[in-house]
Amino acid sequence: MPRQTEERRVALIGAGPRGTSFLERLLAAVERGTPDAQASRLRVLVIDPAPHGPGRVWNPQQSPLYLMNTPASFPTAAPVGATQAQLASSSVSRSFAQWRHEHEAEETATSVRADGFEPPVLKGIDHGGTDTDYPTRAAYGQYLTWLHTEVCAALARHPGISVEHISAEVAELRRADSGYELRLRPDDDADPPRDDRLRADQVVLALGHIPAGLNESGEHFTEVAEQLGLHYQPPAIPTEVDYYSLPAGENVLVRGMGLNFFDLMIQASVGRGGVFHEHADHPAGQRLEYLATGDEPHLVAGSRRGTPYRAKSTALTEAPGFAPVGITLHHLSPEAVAEAERRHDLLDFSAHLWPLIQRDVLRTYYRTLVELAPELFRAGFEAALQELLADTHLGEAVLQTRGQRLLRELAPDVLWFDIRSLGKPFGGLTFESAEQYQQHMSAYLEDDAATSAAGARSPVKMAIGALHLARMEVKALISQGRVSQSSQISEIEGWFESLVEGLASGPPLQRIEELAALTRAGVVEFLGPDPIFDVDRETGFYTAESPAVAAPAYQARWLLEAMMPANRIQLSRSPLVAGLLRSGLARPRELVDASGAPRAGKGFDVTRLPHRLIPADRAEPEEIYVLGLQLSSVQWGTAIAAEAGGDGDSSARSLADADAAARAVLFGPGGAATGSPAQD
C-alpha cells in the first residue's frame, strides 16, 4: 500500500467476539512494527449498539443461569498456545481460561481506558473455577469486554492510530466518491448530538447473529396469534426472550430441543424459584430432584429426532483440546484424503469422506469396548475388525452386513454400532400412549447422563468424540474449497450437520441431569419424533402431536421456537444486510446442487482469504471484509468459537480470518497471507 499522510478510516461494524478478534489481530500486526503499517494515520471506527466486546449474545449483564456448552479451556478470541505458530500473538493475547486465572481475585474493574471507553462490568460473575467446568456466558462476556478494552487501549497508544467507539446501528452502507459512506440509525436522544453519516475507506463486517425473517410456518403462526389472541415466540437469541411472561401451570409448546431449549428449561424452573436437590449417592441420571414452586409453565417439547441434544462427555474436560484423550483419526488421515482427491479431483462427502469417518467411529467404539470388557470378545476379533475396516471399497450396507457377521462369530453378545441410528434413537418405533413415551424419554436421559459421566469409559461417547474430531477436519476441507458444492448441500447440510450437532454439540452433563429431574417432576413433557405443530381454529389453540405416539394432541395458547434466527442473508431483516443486497454491493454465493441447478447459499459471495464482498456485477471485489456467520456459504460451523491452541485451518479458523482481514487493512489484500495460514 502506498505511503500517504492523510488519515485512513476503517469502519468495524460489529464489536462482538469476531470484531474483537479483528482488533486484536490488527494490534498484533501493528506491534510487529512493519514500517508501511505506520506510514499513514489510521482511525478505527468501532460501531455496534450492543456492548463492545461481548456483543448481544455474551452480554455480561445477562442471567447467570445461562451456561456455555464448552469447558472453560476451549474458547478464545485471540491466538494462544500452538495457534501462535501460525498467528503471531499480540501483547494482550489471552484465552478465556488464561484470563480467568489471571483475574480470579478481581471483583470488578471500572477504570476508564486511554481511549475513553468504559466497559460495562457486572459484579459477582464467576472469574474463578477450573478449566474443566462450564462457566456462565456472562463470564465469557466479561473476558471479551476485558480483551476488547485492552486491545483498544494498546492500539490507541501507537502513534498515528486512534480508536473511536460508536454505540449505534449501521442502517446503510453505500459507495461514495472516495471509499464508503455509512448511515447510522438516527438517535434523537444522543448527547451530544452525533453525526449520522460517516466516511470510511475500508469496512469490516463482523455482524454475528442478525434478525431474520420467518419461514412459511413461522409467518402462519404469527398470523394465527394475531387472529386468535394466542402467543407466538419466533426464533431469537435467548437473552432477548421474555421467559417471565410464560404462564404458570399452562402448556407451552416448544419446537426445538437444541441448546436454546436448555436456556428456556432453566429459566422456566430455577428462574421461577425452583431448586434442584442433589442425591450424591444416586447413579448418574438420577442424582437431582426438582423441588417445584408451582410457578413453572408446563413445557411440552418436540424436535424431529424426538430427543434433546446429547450431553457432552466428561472425557472432554480431561483433554487439552476439544476431543477426548486417546482418540485419533486413523482412517480420515491427510494421506487418505489426499489420495481420494488425487484420484477423484473433488471430494464428495458420501463417497470419499463419510466411509473414512464411519470407520474411525467404529474403530474407536470397539477399541474402547474391548478395553472395558475383553471377556465379550474371542481371540482374533481386533485383527479381524482392523482388516474389515481397512477395506475402503466396501459400501456402508456391505460393511454393516460383514461387521454383523464378524460379531456373530467372535463377539456374539455384542451389537453392531450404527452412529447414524444413534441420531434418531426412536426411529421406527411407536408408542401406545404419551405416558409410555415419557417413560422411554426418562430412561433415555438417564442413560445419556450415565454414559456422559463415564467419560472415557463409555464406548458411545468416545465414538461421538471421534465423530466430532472428524467434523473439525471436514470443516477445514470445506474452508479450503476441497469438497464439492453438491455434497455440501445434499449431504453435509442434508443430514450430517444435524447428526453431528445432535450428538456432539450438546450441553454440559449438568443440564441433562436437570432435564431428567424436571421430567420426573412433570414440569417437562416430550411430544415424540417428527412432531406436527398446528392450529385448531375450532378450539382456538395451537396443537402439537407426534405420529409415533398414540395420544391426543396437546393444546396450548403459547408456542415458542427454541432456536436462533436463521443464518441466511436473504432472510435477513437487518437494514444493513438487506441494503447491501438491494444495492448490489453484495450478493449471495451461488451454489450448485446435485442436479446441477443453481441455488443461493446462506452467506455472502466472497473472495478467498481475506474474504472480501463480491458485488452483484462481478466487478472488482469491494474493500469490505467479512468475518463470522455470514461466511456460511464458504465455511461450515461459523458460529463456533475459536479453540485455544487450535489449528488456523479448522478449529481456530475465525482467528485466521480475522488475521487476514487485519493484514489486508494495513497492507492491502495482497499482503494478507504473510504470517497467516495458507490462502485457500
Side-chain angles (χ1 to χ4, degrees):
M1 181 170 291
R3 293 176 180 269
Q4 51 188 340
T5 57
E6 69 273 12
E7 179 181 78
R8 276 193 306 125
R9 288 187 164 202
V10 178
L12 172 60
I13 306 176
R18 301 305 190 280
T20 297
S21 290
F22 168 79
L23 292 170
E24 191 276 333
R25 294 290 78 213
L26 191 67
L27 174 63
V30 169
E31 288 179 337
R32 288 199 287 274
T34 306
D36 286 346
Q38 300 174 355
S40 64
R41 290 183 292 122
L42 184 66
R43 185 169 188 80
V44 183
L45 307 176
V46 185
I47 311 168
D48 197 328
H52 290 198
R56 293 186 298 159
V57 171
W58 304 102
N59 191 334
Q61 306 292 336
Q62 69 186 276
S63 168
L65 294 178
Y66 295 138
L67 299 181
M68 301 182 71
N69 76 317
T70 58
S73 61
F74 178 81
T76 188
V80 296
T83 313
Q84 294 175 345
Q86 297 171 294
L87 306 172
S89 63
S90 72
S91 59
V92 298
S93 291
R94 304 286 193 285
S95 70
F96 175 51
Q98 290 172 336
W99 172 83
R100 285 216 305 175
H101 291 310
E102 292 177 3
H103 295 78
E104 284 176 345
E106 294 184 12
E107 284 192 0
T108 185
T110 57
S111 60
V112 179
R113 302 299 180 180
D115 62 349
F117 175 54
E118 182 175 355
V121 177
L122 178 67
K123 290 185 178 181
I125 298 300
D126 55 323
H127 288 291
T130 68
D131 291 351
T132 62
D133 65 11
Y134 288 78
T136 64
R137 295 211 287 266
Y140 192 65
Q142 280 205 315
Y143 156 71
L144 292 170
T145 299
W146 173 87
L147 181 63
H148 189 96
T149 305
E150 294 296 325
V151 165
C152 291
L155 280 170
R157 287 193 292 268
H158 281 267
I161 297 180
S162 60
V163 181
E164 179 181 346
H165 290 271
I166 302 172
S167 181
E169 178 184 357
V170 177
E172 183 182 12
L173 171 62
R174 64 182 183 87
R175 292 191 188 100
D177 292 338
S178 175
Y180 302 93
E181 182 180 89
L182 291 73
R183 182 175 63 82
L184 307 182
R185 184 181 291 277
D187 183 1
D188 297 334
D189 297 326
D191 186 22
R194 71 178 184 216
D195 186 355
D196 288 336
R197 293 189 181 275
L198 303 172
R199 183 192 66 80
D201 299 289
Q202 296 156 304
V203 177
V204 178
L205 300 179
L207 303 179
H209 291 282
I210 54 179
L214 301 175
N215 59 19
E216 183 180 23
S217 173
E219 293 283 6
H220 173 62
F221 287 137
T222 299
E223 293 174 4
V224 166
E226 294 174 354
Q227 294 166 0
L228 301 182
L230 302 178
H231 303 272
Y232 175 67
Q233 172 59 58
I237 296 173
T239 54
E240 298 178 356
V241 177
D242 180 13
Y243 294 121
Y244 297 102
S245 65
L246 300 178
E250 279 195 39
N251 284 351
V252 173
L253 303 181
V254 182
R255 182 155 63 174
M257 285 194 282
L259 296 177
N260 284 31
F261 168 74
F262 293 97
D263 293 337
L264 160 64
M265 174 199 84
I266 203 65
Q267 288 290 357
S269 54
V270 178
R272 296 293 180 95
V275 176
F276 289 101
H277 177 68
E278 184 176 7
H279 299 280
D281 58 335
H282 287 199
Q286 302 176 27
R287 288 177 179 164
L288 296 182
E289 177 187 3
Y290 182 68
L291 306 179
T293 65
D295 291 332
E296 300 88 350
H298 179 229
L299 304 181
V300 183
S303 67
R304 283 177 296 177
R305 63 176 60 85
T307 60
Y309 279 15
R310 285 183 177 264
K312 291 284 198 316
S313 170
T314 58
L316 289 178
T317 64
E318 302 162 4
F322 199 45
V325 172
I327 292 181
T328 57
L329 297 179
H330 177 77
H331 295 279
L332 187 70
S333 65
E335 295 77 16
V337 172
E339 172 64 12
E341 207 167 22
R342 183 188 66 79
R343 296 180 61 190
H344 306 290
D345 296 331
L346 198 60
L347 296 171
D348 178 272
F349 180 77
S350 286
H352 309 135
L353 299 179
W354 174 246
L356 303 175
I357 295 171
Q358 185 188 30
R359 282 160 171 77
D360 277 319
V361 167
L362 289 168
R363 175 176 177 267
T364 302
Y365 177 86
Y366 287 109
R367 285 185 63 175
T368 306
L369 188 57
V370 167
E371 291 175 2
L372 293 173
E375 69 278 3
L376 296 176
F377 300 88
R378 295 172 185 168
F381 172 79
E382 289 184 274
L385 178 66
Q386 183 176 338
E387 181 180 354
L388 175 65
L389 297 180
D391 188 350
T392 56
H393 298 292
L394 300 181
E396 190 167 358
V398 176
L399 178 66
Q400 177 172 326
T401 299
R402 294 193 180 180
Q404 290 172 332
R405 183 189 308 158
L406 174 63
L407 290 173
R408 286 195 299 270
E409 294 172 357
L410 299 179
D413 295 327
V414 176
L415 298 176
W416 179 252
F417 181 71
D418 181 4
I419 190 74
R420 292 180 70 167
S421 67
L422 197 66
K424 290 188 175 181
F426 299 136
L429 300 179
T430 58
F431 303 88
E432 292 302 314
S433 66
E435 292 76 16
Q436 186 185 42
Y437 190 70
Q438 307 317 309
Q439 293 169 3
H440 276 75
M441 276 302 304
S442 289
Y444 171 87
L445 293 171
E446 290 173 11
D447 176 74
D448 187 44
T451 54
S452 294
R457 295 182 59 80
S458 167
V460 170
K461 293 293 179 173
M462 292 293 279
I464 291 173
L467 183 71
H468 170 76
L469 201 58
R471 166 170 64 172
M472 303 313 293
E473 295 302 315
V474 173
K475 178 180 179 180
L477 294 171
I478 291 174
S479 297
Q480 294 161 7
R482 298 166 65 185
V483 181
S484 72
Q485 290 184 359
S486 61
S487 69
Q488 287 182 54
I489 295 170
S490 61
E491 295 150 13
I492 294 176
E493 291 183 17
W495 63 267
F496 183 67
E497 185 173 35
S498 174
L499 173 69
V500 74
E501 285 185 352
L503 298 181
S505 295
L509 170 58
Q510 172 187 340
R511 288 293 188 243
I512 295 297
E513 288 275 11
E514 290 165 345
L515 180 55
L518 290 170
T519 303
R520 290 189 291 268
V523 175
V524 177
E525 278 192 67
F526 301 97
L527 286 166
D530 299 311
I532 300 169
F533 291 85
D534 209 335
V535 62
D536 185 336
R537 290 189 175 273
E538 184 173 324
T539 61
F541 288 103
Y542 290 123
T543 63
E545 58 186 328
S546 167
V549 181
Y554 290 88
Q555 295 186 328
R557 296 187 304 121
W558 292 74
L559 172 57
L560 188 147
E561 306 275 14
M563 59 190 74
M564 299 292 274
N567 179 30
R568 186 177 290 275
I569 59 170
Q570 287 190 304
L571 289 178
S572 171
R573 286 186 173 172
S574 158
L576 171 62
V577 172
L580 288 171
L581 296 173
R582 188 170 53 250
S583 69
L585 264 181
R587 64 179 183 180
R589 186 173 184 91
E590 186 178 274
L591 304 177
V592 179
D593 65 20
S595 69
R599 54 171 278 185
K602 295 179 181 179
F604 288 124
D605 194 8
V606 294
T607 65
R608 292 184 175 184
L609 201 65
H611 298 304
R612 302 161 64 194
L613 284 183
I614 297 176
D617 60 8
R618 299 176 183 266
E620 183 70 17
E622 299 291 336
E623 283 284 312
I624 302 174
Y625 299 86
V626 183
L627 302 175
L629 271 68
Q630 288 74 42
L631 291 174
S632 53
S633 288
V634 295
Q635 294 185 17
W636 182 42
T638 53
I640 302 174
E643 178 186 7
D647 190 298
D649 262 349
S650 56
S651 60
R653 179 73 191 202
S654 63
L655 299 183
D657 291 345
D659 186 79
R663 295 184 62 81
V665 163
L666 288 174
F667 314 123
T674 305
S676 302
Q679 293 193 38
D680 298 341

